[in-house]
Amino acid sequence: MKRFWREVHVVEGGIRLDDKPVRTPGRAALMLPTPALAEAVADEWRGVGETLDPRAMPLTGLANAAIDRVAADPAGFAVGLAVYGESDLLYYRADGPAELVARQAAAWDPLLDWARRAFGVDFVVTSGVMHRAQPAETVARLGAALAAYPPFALAALSPIVTITGTLVGALALADGAAGAEQLWLAATLDEEWQAEQWGDDDLALQAKAARRRDYEAAVRFLTLAR
């Protein structure tokens, strides 16, 4: 799409390009839940050059997802995302070397300890990558905590969970019990360890940088949507 508008306005939570309202791909009005998020999305439209590039508009994309995909069935969307509670990154530890084991414990145990206190649950933590079933009550309570969030928060939590591999960590972030940088470092701990041992790979670094951009956009969206 070529740029056809001169000015972008926020009008009662919606975005207007000159006098035309912006709509989602599903043709719903692009309405934002907070003034801060509305202005941030409007800034993405203001920054469009001659041609619209959706990849440069992550907040708009997340807003579209919240309205078209999540809001239609928030409970069902939450159920699909809650499956990460059954195989969370934080459950599966290395059995060596000792330094890696210690790093994982230092970064991951505080997140699990927070969830134990917050939800009254416990976890099966194991060495290796073979699946170990978690207590049914644990999975249910993590899912219920996720389902309590509104559609715009769920839209942001989805990439946060999938990029980091940890539902527990994402819930801690949403609750304010963990910071964005803390969660990112926890999620990429194993990658950093491998890089320290064997060196960096250019393609891997590019992929990681792309994931980091998506992660930071989702965190910003979650913050602005509150």
Side-chain angles (χ1 to χ4, degrees):
M1 178 194 298
K2 290 187 176 181
R3 177 165 181 156
F4 60 83
W5 61 92
R6 292 184 177 182
E7 296 184 351
V8 180
H9 307 282
V10 176
V11 180
E12 296 181 350
I15 309 299
R16 287 185 174 271
L17 308 180
D18 296 332
D19 62 344
K20 298 180 183 297
V22 176
R23 297 189 178 276
T24 70
R27 304 307 299 161
L30 184 63
M31 302 296 295
L32 292 311
T34 67
L37 182 57
E39 284 296 338
V41 170
D43 281 342
E44 289 189 336
W45 288 89
R46 293 182 183 113
V48 172
E50 292 185 3
T51 303
L52 186 149
D53 179 4
R55 295 170 299 181
M57 306 174 72
L59 303 183
T60 300
L62 287 168
N64 288 337
I67 295 168
D68 285 350
R69 293 179 52 213
V70 186
D73 183 13
F77 188 88
V79 167
L81 191 56
V83 298
Y84 277 83
E86 300 176 8
S87 56
D88 198 288
L89 166 75
L90 309 183
Y91 307 155
Y92 298 93
R93 310 298 178 90
D95 54 13
E99 183 181 349
L100 176 58
V101 173
R103 285 194 196 181
Q104 289 178 340
W108 297 353
D109 285 354
L111 296 171
L112 292 180
D113 288 343
W114 166 81
R116 290 185 178 99
R117 296 190 302 270
F119 307 122
V121 298
D122 205 357
F123 301 97
V124 176
V125 178
T126 186
S127 297
V129 296
M130 293 297 293
H131 177 73
R132 292 286 302 276
Q134 297 298 312
E137 186 175 13
T138 295
V139 176
R141 291 190 180 183
L142 292 178
L146 182 64
Y149 284 96
F152 275 79
L154 285 173
L157 285 169
S158 180
I160 293 172
V161 171
T162 55
I163 289 169
T164 63
T166 169
L167 174 60
V168 172
L171 289 172
L173 176 69
D175 184 73
E181 186 66 13
Q182 175 189 354
L183 178 56
W184 177 256
L185 292 175
T188 57
L189 186 153
D190 287 348
E191 288 179 69
E192 291 298 326
W193 172 265
Q194 292 297 327
E196 289 176 16
Q197 309 312 305
W198 309 108
D200 288 318
D201 174 83
D202 287 343
L203 290 178
L205 286 174
Q206 292 174 21
K208 184 180 179 182
R211 295 200 318 274
R212 179 72 186 250
R213 287 193 297 271
D214 291 343
Y215 171 77
E216 290 179 346
V219 171
R220 185 178 179 217
F221 187 92
L222 179 64
T223 301
L224 295 173
R226 289 172 173 163

